[in-house]
């Protein structure tokens, strides 16, 4: 948000410099992002001067252009081609010389227009960024002095503009008066001379006649609604002071009526809406809930469908605007408007937020209403706008103010105990200081006691309802920096769970990073279309977003694998072809049981995903090795082995074909086996949907299942073996459908405690190998922890293993 220093000083009379104001704002909890001296018009209209049109002749090759000569105060008049219909000899104008840069980064250069040279431009309001009119060039009074810089002539002054942020609970500071109130309380509590002067609306008077009646059918959605009718206005450009105020905070002036609504919004923080009274059919304003699917065309030209929970401001024919969110195209003020209806209202914050999110709209009005506007400001702001309209656009107030306010929203009453407040603060600041701060903040003291008081908080402080809220207000004005730290700090230390899940997760991430993987982070929201052709993760199990921002972000992801393919595609499109990355994140699934509406019918867990693809760059010491499934499998096995998870003790299975063209799954044995990891070569058809043509190898590890295994494992010291290992090799002929895992399992079972490990070091298919067969070369490591193995024991063990492999798997010794 932007705050104009000069504008602020209209309400807060003090001697603070812009730097001191920024420092004080930060001190009281309004975080200042920047302070800069800003030109009202970007570029300051450098090289734009007052000039006089000496001659004006028709262009020889155009029916709408003119060839003029202009005296800009230089040595000789300059020739300028102008397309404005109202240009004429003898006029005083604003002239942009060659080298001038107008708003929008429009540079003035020497040019040739239809064969005639032009050495500058005679400007209209909108071209200079000081108005919206483009009906013709600006014609200045006769007494304008030739050669005067436009910045000097227009009185454009550089001013200090403070850009600041507010937290969601401080919507009361989203205006110049709001900041002025806080700064006044700060200065008042410090004893620094200051005066808070708010604009008076006492000059507003009701008049005779019939104002437009108001009917509020939904007082829950609109607890307070006010309307003022003014007739006989003239829509025109805003006066200079109003344009300068809006330009200083980055708003472009449009017209006097529209600009006043914006001015009052940023002055008071109260959103207003001004209707063209002539477009209110039926002569009555109706505040009601919309009908389901009811259409409205908003100011941005979009046809929108409303929901039954949306509040609308309507006439007898239909909605005129979405209450508190956005105006309608058919009811707004235009150049032909003569009569206006000013709306000042307080709308239910929950209703406004729901509507703004469902319509994907975020406006200055909805930003304030959904956080809680001041119910007492509605009528004040409407009267303030009415007086400014009378001043800048003429007209007269007709009839009485129409107000519907059935249940008055009062100030929150809070019981205070000064001793308890000082205990919360951690310092004895005294009852006088507490009361002085609260008086400065506009609290009302309903009753005072020796050690406390009953106070009423201002209605614009929507989050102040308890004593602890008041303590926060006192503290930010008193100054957090003024609370000394105690010499002794007391704290309780809670033992963390062992192993620590966060530390374990970070260790895994660090290990992957050390092995060349780059961590990625993706949005948990994704598109439902990804799941329409998958069986493993069907679209029916997607968790849908009620109010999605777009169709590309309408469901929660069921797996990290599809996000990974997006990352692969993104990098390949940018010539990054060698990839190794991982992600840690949550995945979500709708459970088959339940009605799909309660929280219990959804499941969430976290996963690690690993991706490798492409060939690394060549290096001098070794040949480049293409990415492969076995490379990925090695990483996963090494990761699991770091935490003593033996893959041979897991249940192996085939990876789902819709995701992987080849691959395996590992599940933890049990009554209901739990899927630990899925890894393999991503299905080329799936990769093609993401525009990926090169092979991709991926793994997804269920973090909850992995961490349960890590917690289950108990580390214990074991003495190193004293007796030597014995190694034996076997070459076995096996059927193609026999897996290595089955061979290993059978060998370990037959070898009992003497077989320490089994490893596969060669697979051969080809000449002299029958069809449907393959040869495995296996290495066996034998060791007895109690004694040295003899040749006889080794041979008997290997014979027992071979017999088991022959009988159970049909193996033949080569």
């Amino acid at each position: 948000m932007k705050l104009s220093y000069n504008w602020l000083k209209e309400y807060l009379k003090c001697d603070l410099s812009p730097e001191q104001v920024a420092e004080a704002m930060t001190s009281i909890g309004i975080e200042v992002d920047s302070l800069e001296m800003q030109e009202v018009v970007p570029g300051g209209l450098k090289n734009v001067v007052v000039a006089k049109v000496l001659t004006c002749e028709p262009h020889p090759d155009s029916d709408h252009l003119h060839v003029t000569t202009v005296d800009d105060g230089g040595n000789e008049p300059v020739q300028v081609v102008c397309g404005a219909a109202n240009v004429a000899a003898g006029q005083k104008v604003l002239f942009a010389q060659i080298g001038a840069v107008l708003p929008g980064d429009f540079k003035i250069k020497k040019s040739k227009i239809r064969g005639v040279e032009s050495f500058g431009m005679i400007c209209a309001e909108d071209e200079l960024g000081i108005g919206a009119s483009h009906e013709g060039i600006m014609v200045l009074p006769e007494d304008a002095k030739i050669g005067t810089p436009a910045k000097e002539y227009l009185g454009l002054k550089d001013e200090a503009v403070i850009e600041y942020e507010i937290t969601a609970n401080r919507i009361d500071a989203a205006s110049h008066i709001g900041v002025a109130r806080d700064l006044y309380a700060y200065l008042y509590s410090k004893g620094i001379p200051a005066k808070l002067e708010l604009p008076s609306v006492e000059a507003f008077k009701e008049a005779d006649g019939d104002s437009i009646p108001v009917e509020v059918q939904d007082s829950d959605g609109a607890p307070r609604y006010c309307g003022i009718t003014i007739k006989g206005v003239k829509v025109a450009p805003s006066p200079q002071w109003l344009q300068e105020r809006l330009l200083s905070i980055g708003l472009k002036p449009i017209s006097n009526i529209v600009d006043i609504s914006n001015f009052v919004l940023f002055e008071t923080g109260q959103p207003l809406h001004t209707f063209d009274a002539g477009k209110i059919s039926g002569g009555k304003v109706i505040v009601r809930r919309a009908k389901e699917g009811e259409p409205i065309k908003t100011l941005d030209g979009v046809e929108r469908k409303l929901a039954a929970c949306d509040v609308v401001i309507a006439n007898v024919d239909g909605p005129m605007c979405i209450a508190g969110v956005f105006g309608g195209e058919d009811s707004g003020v235009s150049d032909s408007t003569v009569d206006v209806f000013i709306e000042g209202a307080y709308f239910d914050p929950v209703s406004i937020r729901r509507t703004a999110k469902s319509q994907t709209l975020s406006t200055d009005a909805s930003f304030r209403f959904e956080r809680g506007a001041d119910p007492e400001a509605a009528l004040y702001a409407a009267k303030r706008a009415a007086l400014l309209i009378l001043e800048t656009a003429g007209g007269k107030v007709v009839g009485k103010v129409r107000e519907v306010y059935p249940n008055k929203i009062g100030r929150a009453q809070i019981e205070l105990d000064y001793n308890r407040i000082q205990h919360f603060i951690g310092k004895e600041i005294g009852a006088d200081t507490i009361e002085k701060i609260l008086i400065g903040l506009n609290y009302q003291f309903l009753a005072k006691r020796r050690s406390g008081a009953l106070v009423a908080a201002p209605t614009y402080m929507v989050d102040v309802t308890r004593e602890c809220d008041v303590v926060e207000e006192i503290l930010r004005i008193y100054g957090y920096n003024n609370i000394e730290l105690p010499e002794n700090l007391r704290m309780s230390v809670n033992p963390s769970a062992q192993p620590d899940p966060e530390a374990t997760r970070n260790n895994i991430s660090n290990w992957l990073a050390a092995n060349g993987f780059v961590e990625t982070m993706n949005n948990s929201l994704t598109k439902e279309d990804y799941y329409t052709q998958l069986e493993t993760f069907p679209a029916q199990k997607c968790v849908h977003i009620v109010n999605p921002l777009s169709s590309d972000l309408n469901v929660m992801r069921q797996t990290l694998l599809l996000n990974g393919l997006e990352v692969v595609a993104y990098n390949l499109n940018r010539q990054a072809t060698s990839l190794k990355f991982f992600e840690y994140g949550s995945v979500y699934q709708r459970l088959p049981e339940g009605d799909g509406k309660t929280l219990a019918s959804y499941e969430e867990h976290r996963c690690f995903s690993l991706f490798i693809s492409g060939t690394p760059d060549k290096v001098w010491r070794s040949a480049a090795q293409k990415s492969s499934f076995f490379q990925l499998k090695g990483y996963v096995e090494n990761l699991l082995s770091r935490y003593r998870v033996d893959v041979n003790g897991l249940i192996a299975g085939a990876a789902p074909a819709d995701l992987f063209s080849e691959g395996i799954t590992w599940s933890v044995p049990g009554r209901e086996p739990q899927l630990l990891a899925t890894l393999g070569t991503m299905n080329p058809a799936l990769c093609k949907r993401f525009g990926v043509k090169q092979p991709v190898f991926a793994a997804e590890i269920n973090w909850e299942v992995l961490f349960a295994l890590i917690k289950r494992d108990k580390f214990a010291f074991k003495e190193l073996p004293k007796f030597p290992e014995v190694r034996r090799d076997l070459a076995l002929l096996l059927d193609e459908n026999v897996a290595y895992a089955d061979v290993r399992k059978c060998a370990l079972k037959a070898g009992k405690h003497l077989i320490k490990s089994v490893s596969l070091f060669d697979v051969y298919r080809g000449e002299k190998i029958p069809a449907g067969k393959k040869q495995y070369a296996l290495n066996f490591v034998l060791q007895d922890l109690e004694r040295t193995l003899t040749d006889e024991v080794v041979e008997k063990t290997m014979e027992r293993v071979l017999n088991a492999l022959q009988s159970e798997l049909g193996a033949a010794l080569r």
Side-chain angles (χ1 to χ4, degrees):
M1 290 187 177
K2 289 187 175 181
L3 180 87
S4 164
Y5 173 76
N6 292 338
W7 192 350
L8 176 73
K9 292 293 290 288
E10 289 190 5
Y11 316 115
L12 182 65
K13 308 300 181 183
C14 67
D15 295 330
L16 295 185
S17 67
E19 292 76 16
Q20 290 172 320
V21 167
E23 183 179 350
M25 287 173 64
T26 299
S27 174
I28 60 179
I30 305 174
E31 184 180 357
V32 172
D33 291 335
S34 65
L35 166 64
E36 59 182 24
M37 298 305 295
Q38 181 174 292
E39 296 169 325
V40 176
V41 177
L45 300 182
K46 187 178 179 180
N47 292 329
V48 180
V49 298
V50 175
K52 183 175 182 179
V53 180
L54 301 178
T55 64
C56 179
E57 302 293 338
H59 192 289
D61 193 28
S62 172
D63 57 358
H64 66 281
L65 297 176
H66 300 84
V67 179
T68 66
T69 54
V70 174
D71 178 8
D72 61 353
N75 295 330
E76 295 181 1
V78 293
Q79 180 174 279
V80 179
V81 177
C82 179
N86 66 329
V87 66
Q91 293 173 335
K92 295 286 183 70
V93 295
L94 288 178
F95 174 63
Q97 300 168 323
I98 291 176
V101 180
L102 302 183
D105 200 29
F106 181 64
K107 299 176 181 178
I108 303 299
K109 303 175 182 178
K110 175 184 175 182
S111 61
K112 185 175 285 188
I113 303 175
R114 298 248 181 133
V116 178
E117 289 185 328
S118 182
F119 299 88
M121 186 173 82
I122 304 174
C123 302
E125 275 185 11
D126 63 334
E127 293 165 338
L128 296 172
I130 59 174
S133 174
H134 193 70
E135 294 180 353
I137 59 171
M138 284 185 67
V139 179
L140 307 180
E142 192 61 40
D143 59 357
K145 186 177 179 181
I146 296 173
T148 304
K151 181 177 180 179
E152 178 185 334
Y153 177 80
L154 295 172
L156 302 180
K157 299 178 181 178
D158 296 346
E159 67 171 300
V161 175
I162 299 171
E163 192 154 356
Y164 67 100
E165 299 287 341
I166 60 169
T167 53
N169 65 325
R170 290 304 317 280
I171 196 62
D172 59 292
S175 65
H176 285 74
I177 287 178
V179 174
R181 284 189 302 235
D182 264 16
L183 288 172
Y184 171 75
Y186 171 79
L187 298 174
Y188 178 77
S189 68
K190 305 295 182 187
I192 300 173
K195 187 176 182 180
L196 185 65
E197 294 184 356
L198 303 183
S200 172
V201 294
E202 291 183 0
F204 178 86
K205 303 295 181 184
E206 294 179 334
D208 296 330
D210 294 327
S211 55
I212 296 174
V214 171
E215 178 186 341
V216 177
Q217 298 178 1
D218 179 36
S219 58
D220 291 334
R224 186 179 193 185
Y225 193 90
C226 311
I228 298 175
T229 304
I230 300 179
K231 291 188 175 182
V233 301
K234 182 180 180 181
V235 178
S238 296
Q240 190 66 32
W241 69 267
L242 180 54
Q243 293 190 36
E244 289 177 2
R245 285 285 175 259
L246 297 181
L247 288 168
S248 69
I249 58 172
L251 294 181
K252 188 175 181 179
I254 298 173
S255 68
N256 48 8
I257 305 295
V258 176
D259 292 348
I260 285 167
S261 294
N262 289 329
F263 174 84
V264 174
L265 169 64
F266 288 95
E267 178 186 55
T268 67
Q270 171 64 39
L272 300 174
H273 192 77
T274 306
F275 296 91
D276 185 331
K279 298 176 183 178
I280 303 176
S281 60
K284 180 167 67 173
V285 171
I286 304 169
V287 184
R288 60 172 174 83
R289 297 282 178 175
K291 300 169 186 174
E292 189 65 40
E294 190 171 17
I296 182 174
K297 193 171 186 180
T298 47
L299 285 170
D300 56 359
V302 176
E303 184 84 26
R304 302 180 187 274
K305 299 293 183 182
L306 300 172
C309 60
D310 299 334
V311 180
V312 296
I313 313 301
N315 53 36
V316 295
D317 292 332
M320 296 188 293
C321 78
I322 305 175
V325 179
F326 210 23
E329 187 177 66
D330 298 331
S331 61
V333 173
S334 64
D335 292 343
S336 60
T337 297
V338 177
D339 304 330
V340 295
F341 176 83
I342 305 170
E343 167 197 279
Y346 171 75
F347 295 112
D348 173 51
V350 175
S351 177
I352 297 301
R353 180 169 178 79
R354 185 188 298 116
T355 298
K357 292 300 179 184
S358 66
Q359 297 293 338
T360 61
L361 286 170
S362 180
T363 61
D364 288 325
S366 67
F367 178 82
R368 287 160 175 79
F369 277 129
E370 67 189 23
R371 285 163 175 77
D374 178 10
E376 291 302 305
L379 183 57
Y380 170 83
K383 288 182 176 180
R384 171 73 168 151
L387 290 172
L388 290 172
I389 288 175
L390 295 177
E391 176 187 335
T392 62
K396 63 178 181 177
V397 176
V398 176
K400 296 182 178 181
V401 174
R402 300 286 185 165
E403 181 179 19
V404 180
Y405 196 13
N407 301 306
K408 184 176 176 62
I409 301 173
R411 291 182 170 215
Q413 297 186 11
I414 305 162
E415 191 75 44
L416 302 182
D417 183 314
Y418 292 162
N419 292 328
R420 186 164 56 235
I421 288 175
Q422 292 179 111
H423 176 72
F424 285 155
I425 291 174
K427 179 181 180 179
E428 291 190 8
I429 63 175
D432 291 342
T433 301
I434 292 174
E435 291 178 0
K436 191 171 186 179
I437 290 174
L438 293 178
I439 290 171
L441 287 171
N442 196 25
Y443 280 74
Q444 289 182 355
F445 282 81
L446 305 178
K448 286 188 178 183
R449 304 175 184 87
R450 178 178 297 180
S451 61
L454 176 65
V455 299
T459 52
Y460 50 77
M461 292 186 176
V462 295
D463 68 318
V464 178
T465 57
R466 303 166 298 170
E467 185 182 56
C468 58
D469 300 326
V470 180
V471 174
E472 182 183 349
E473 295 298 301
I474 294 170
L475 254 176
R476 68 182 184 84
I477 299 300
Y478 182 76
Y480 290 99
N481 293 334
N482 295 324
I483 307 298
E484 298 83 5
L485 290 174
E487 294 182 359
N488 299 315
L489 292 176
R490 298 174 182 175
M491 60 181 294
S492 59
V493 179
N494 296 321
S496 59
Q498 293 297 329
D500 184 352
E502 190 68 20
T504 305
R505 185 186 72 79
N506 286 333
N507 286 337
I508 292 175
S509 297
N510 291 337
W511 182 84
L512 289 169
N515 279 275
F517 286 83
V518 176
E519 185 170 8
T520 62
M521 297 179 67
N522 292 289
N523 197 336
S524 295
L525 301 179
T526 186
K527 59 171 68 175
E528 185 179 13
D529 290 347
Y530 284 165
Y531 298 94
T532 54
Q533 299 178 29
L534 297 181
E535 295 180 5
T536 308
F537 302 108
Q540 293 83 353
K541 291 188 177 181
C542 286
V543 178
H544 287 79
I545 304 302
V546 177
N547 297 317
L549 296 175
S550 72
S551 59
D552 288 342
L553 300 171
N554 58 349
V555 297
M556 307 293 284
R557 62 185 176 187
Q558 294 189 56
T559 175
L560 302 182
L561 296 175
L562 303 184
N563 283 127
L565 286 177
E566 287 182 326
V567 174
V568 172
Y570 183 88
N571 281 272
L572 292 180
N573 289 337
R574 288 155 181 79
Q575 288 77 51
T577 57
S578 179
L579 303 170
K580 284 176 68 176
F581 62 88
F582 75 97
E583 181 180 5
Y584 171 82
S586 294
V587 295
Y588 312 82
Q589 222 175 38
R590 179 176 173 176
L591 299 178
E593 64 271 19
D595 57 6
K597 298 179 180 178
T598 59
L599 193 61
S601 60
Y602 301 106
E603 186 265 341
E604 172 188 352
H605 66 270
R606 289 161 293 175
C607 293
F608 274 99
S609 68
L610 282 66
F611 280 80
I612 60 175
S613 182
T615 303
D617 294 334
K618 294 179 180 180
V619 293
W620 63 270
R621 62 184 179 273
S622 62
Q625 182 181 6
K626 286 186 177 181
S627 301
S628 68
F629 163 70
F630 293 102
Q631 183 185 13
L632 174 72
K633 183 170 178 283
Y635 284 123
V636 177
E637 287 180 338
N638 286 340
L639 172 60
L640 296 178
S641 67
R642 284 175 60 84
Y643 295 97
R644 295 167 55 86
V645 177
D646 184 4
V647 296
N648 297 301
L650 302 173
I651 302 172
D658 57 338
L659 296 172
F660 299 92
S661 58
E662 59 178 356
I664 57 174
T665 62
W666 285 323
S667 300
V668 179
R671 181 175 298 176
E672 294 184 4
Q674 293 180 295
L675 180 63
L676 171 63
T678 305
L679 58 153
T681 305
M682 296 297 292
N683 191 317
L686 180 61
C687 292
K688 187 177 180 181
R689 291 176 56 189
F690 289 83
V692 176
K693 297 179 181 179
Q694 69 183 38
V696 177
F697 310 96
E700 187 169 67
I701 303 170
N702 188 315
W703 164 247
E704 269 79 10
V705 176
L706 174 60
F707 189 67
L709 291 175
I710 295 173
K711 287 196 299 183
R712 191 170 66 185
D713 184 52
K714 303 299 181 183
F715 287 88
F717 170 77
K718 182 188 290 186
E719 188 178 2
L720 289 173
K722 297 180 180 179
F723 304 98
E725 297 176 344
V726 177
R727 296 176 179 269
R728 292 288 187 271
D729 294 339
L730 289 179
L732 300 175
L733 192 65
L734 296 157
D735 292 337
E736 276 287 1
N737 61 355
V738 176
Y740 162 69
D742 297 329
V743 175
R744 185 181 185 281
K745 182 178 180 182
C746 180
L748 291 172
K749 181 180 178 182
K752 298 183 179 179
H753 63 281
L754 295 182
I755 300 290
K756 183 179 179 182
S757 68
V758 181
S759 60
L760 175 67
F761 64 87
D762 186 48
V763 179
Y764 177 68
R765 298 177 180 87
E767 189 178 353
K768 297 182 181 180
I769 300 296
K773 297 286 185 176
K774 60 186 175 183
Q775 177 183 291
Y776 274 0
L778 300 165
N779 175 259
F780 297 84
V781 178
L782 298 86
Q783 187 178 46
D784 193 326
L785 300 178
E786 303 294 333
R787 58 186 177 274
T788 301
L789 289 173
T790 63
D791 290 341
E792 182 181 356
V793 173
V794 171
E795 294 304 324
K796 284 184 177 180
T797 302
M798 293 305 299
E799 183 179 354
R800 190 166 59 248
V801 169
L802 181 58
N803 290 336
L805 292 171
Q806 289 173 337
S807 61
E808 295 183 24
L809 302 178
L813 184 64
R814 289 276 290 171

